[in-house]
Amino acid sequence: MATARLSPTANLLRKSRLFALPQALQPPQDPPSSKLVFESNTSTLPHPIRASIVTPQKSLARGDWGLKRSLPAKSTSEKSSRPVVRVQALDTYEHVTDFESAADHTLTLEKFQELHMPMSLPSKVNYSTSIIPRHQSPFESHVDNTESSRGLAETGAKQYRQSGPWLGGLTQAEFVDYLNQVRHQKPKLLEKLRERFEAKRFAEARKQAQDNGQDFEAIEPVKVTDEEFNTYIKTLRGDPFALGPVVFELLDLPAAPAVPSERIGRKYYQSPGTKLSAAEYAVTGPPKTHPSAGLSYTRTHALTYNHPVYGPQAYQRPVEARILRPKGRFKGRVSKAIAGVGGIAVEDLNAMTFVDQGTPPGLMSFDATIPGGAKYWVTPVRAAVDADGRIGLSSYRASATAKAPYGIQEFQKPSGTSISENARRDANVVPRLDKPRYNQPRFRPSPDNVPRSPEQSKEDIVNSLMQDLNSSR
């Protein structure tokens, strides 16, 4: 069979790495606020919006990155041993390629993969107890669904994305635009509502026949008239508790959070039970990406960490966390401590689990005397991606059992009763304990038979020798 020939242009595009780059994503939007917000144009974004580009060493020596023009070595190979770039614009008005380093997100991904953490669905972690939330993988068939997935036909299936928007995250203009789209689809929506009403009437007829002892299999599908359908619509409009679930299911909207109390003194539209894969999505909105975000495809924590000397371990090797902001008052209120674990900012690390082991130095307040900054060892227990695409990492302080096989010891600040390092040395050197008295005079007259003080100056010693020589003559 003859193969189809491609034109030179099509063959070039087919083999081009530049043509295979995905389109850039929209940068994350800042939440609306009436307060003054301080931002930085060079800060690292919560998630990458452009693909990272690497090149082989042979091409890197020539500055060839597969782009329109070569990139300078001063900004790539000479600046980093593992250069990775992201392209902002292939060709600008000044005929240059606008690029920047992509090592921030690339190294964060490598650090996270070294933790060997499976991704979980978002769930709140209560640090005041030792109970870890149950891990639920986002790759399970009954939760890894969208509006077009086949798994929605299963009983109890949930989805992480609906065809309709999340009403809580729409602005006024976006909400008005969505209402206009719904008005244009009114005939189709009424037809779907009619089918739902007929299916409901048919199910009620089968249930009644079964209760009366009749043959419910012989009942034919029910066909409602226009008058009955209009009466059903008027009934829904007068009952917000019945209209709410119908609207959410008909438009395939993400369910709203549950009403805190049923004793509210006003009418509200009841939403159906959430179909979202995680309960946290009902408050923060459905995720913008897959719940795993492609960070890890491991589905469980069932891993064995084998030590070369001590064999299988119950815990993985602890990770050193750097305290970025200690606990204290921040912007007028008490703030939680923030630490960095593998390039990820982790909050709420000043937990109740520190009571039995002592608080790490530098956690309660900033301490500049700690060499290299305040750090301590932690054991990651849970990782998830929230609705905004940010990585949420939960960790507990590493126990003595987890640190013992690796010889890890926490930093301890020297106290007034601690023994100095000079006293711990094995060499036969006794440290000098006396110190020169700088507040005393440098020369004090003494008898001839008493050796002079070593604090005398050279000029005084020379004068004393000259007097002795003259007296001997």
Side-chain angles (χ1 to χ4, degrees), residues 182-231:
V182 173
R183 291 190 182 98
H184 291 303
Q185 299 176 0
K186 184 177 180 179
K188 296 182 180 179
L189 296 177
L190 289 177
E191 187 65 25
K192 291 182 180 180
L193 183 59
R194 192 185 190 102
E195 295 177 358
R196 290 174 53 87
F197 181 55
E198 291 177 352
K200 179 181 177 182
R201 293 286 298 273
F202 178 61
E204 292 177 352
R206 287 171 58 91
K207 181 66 170 58
Q208 184 177 4
Q210 184 179 7
D211 295 342
N212 297 334
Q214 300 177 2
D215 186 12
F216 60 89
E217 296 291 344
I219 298 179
E220 297 180 356
V222 180
K223 295 295 183 180
V224 298
T225 61
D226 296 341
E227 184 178 357
E228 294 176 346
F229 182 63
N230 293 332
T231 304

Side-chain angles (χ1 to χ4, degrees), residues 454-472:
E455 298 178 1
Q456 297 178 354
S457 63
K458 294 181 180 179
E459 184 179 357
D460 297 337
I461 296 174
V462 171
N463 294 334
S464 178
L465 291 175
M466 293 298 295
Q467 293 177 2
D468 293 342
L469 292 175
N470 294 332
S471 61
S472 63

Side-chain angles (χ1 to χ4, degrees), residues 19-39:
F19 189 72
L21 285 178
Q23 295 183 357
L25 303 178
Q26 293 293 335
Q29 298 181 356
D30 297 330
S33 175
S34 59
K35 299 180 181 180
L36 184 61
V37 180
F38 298 94
E39 299 178 351

Side-chain angles (χ1 to χ4, degrees), residues 82-353:
R82 298 174 55 192
V84 184
V85 300
R86 68 170 68 96
V87 178
Q88 303 286 351
L90 291 174
D91 195 2
T92 60
Y93 182 80
E94 295 82 5
H95 301 288
V96 296
T97 300
D98 186 7
F99 70 96
E100 63 181 5
S101 175
D104 47 4
H105 292 113
T106 304
L107 294 180
T108 300
L109 176 61
E110 294 180 0
K111 292 177 182 178
F112 180 81
Q113 291 177 350
E114 291 180 358
L115 300 178
H116 306 289
M117 290 293 298
M119 300 304 299
S120 307
L121 291 176
S123 178
K124 290 185 178 180
V125 179
N126 187 8
Y127 285 92
S128 61
T129 62
S130 59
I131 301 176
I132 302 176
R134 185 177 62 89
H135 164 71
Q136 188 176 13
S137 175
F139 298 105
E140 300 296 336
S141 58
H142 65 282
V143 296
D144 190 11
N145 299 305
T146 61
E147 69 276 3
S148 59
S149 300
R150 298 180 181 179
L152 291 177
E154 299 180 2
T155 305
K158 297 183 178 181
Q159 54 191 114
Y160 66 89
R161 180 177 298 171
Q162 281 78 8
S163 58
W166 183 50
L167 299 181
L170 297 180
T171 61
Q172 182 66 22
E174 294 174 346
F175 182 70
V176 172
D177 184 40
Y178 178 69
L179 287 181
N180 295 332
Q181 297 179 7
V182 173
R183 291 190 182 98
H184 291 303
Q185 299 176 0
K186 184 177 180 179
K188 296 182 180 179
L189 296 177
L190 289 177
E191 187 65 25
K192 291 182 180 180
L193 183 59
R194 192 185 190 102
E195 295 177 358
R196 290 174 53 87
F197 181 55
E198 291 177 352
K200 179 181 177 182
R201 293 286 298 273
F202 178 61
E204 292 177 352
R206 287 171 58 91
K207 181 66 170 58
Q208 184 177 4
Q210 184 179 7
D211 295 342
N212 297 334
Q214 300 177 2
D215 186 12
F216 60 89
E217 296 291 344
I219 298 179
E220 297 180 356
V222 180
K223 295 295 183 180
V224 298
T225 61
D226 296 341
E227 184 178 357
E228 294 176 346
F229 182 63
N230 293 332
T231 304
Y232 173 66
I233 293 179
K234 293 179 181 180
T235 304
L236 291 177
R237 289 176 178 174
D239 188 4
F241 287 91
L243 180 60
V246 173
V247 172
F248 275 89
E249 295 179 5
L250 190 64
L251 300 179
D252 195 14
L253 299 175
V259 178
S261 176
E262 297 182 357
R263 294 177 293 178
I264 296 179
R266 60 184 179 86
K267 292 184 178 180
Y268 60 92
Y269 289 90
Q270 181 72 18
S271 62
T274 177
K275 291 184 178 179
L276 294 172
S277 56
E280 297 296 325
Y281 293 149
V283 181
T284 60
K288 299 180 180 179
T289 61
H290 190 270
S292 67
L295 296 175
S296 175
Y297 298 97
T298 307
R299 302 181 63 174
T300 179
H301 285 271
L303 299 176
T304 301
Y305 307 98
N306 192 16
H307 193 273
V309 178
Y310 301 102
Q313 301 295 315
Y315 306 97
Q316 62 174 339
R317 180 183 176 86
V319 183
E320 196 172 21
R322 177 183 294 275
I323 299 177
L324 304 178
R325 190 184 72 189
K327 181 181 179 181
R329 300 192 65 85
F330 182 72
K331 294 184 178 181
R333 59 182 180 180
V334 179
S335 61
K336 302 176 182 179
I338 297 180
V341 181
I344 304 171
V346 182
E347 192 180 18
D348 201 9
L349 291 182
N350 50 343
M352 297 298 293
T353 54

Side-chain angles (χ1 to χ4, degrees), residues 4-14:
R5 290 188 175 182
L6 299 176
S7 62
T9 304
N11 191 27
L12 178 63
L13 295 178
R14 187 176 184 180

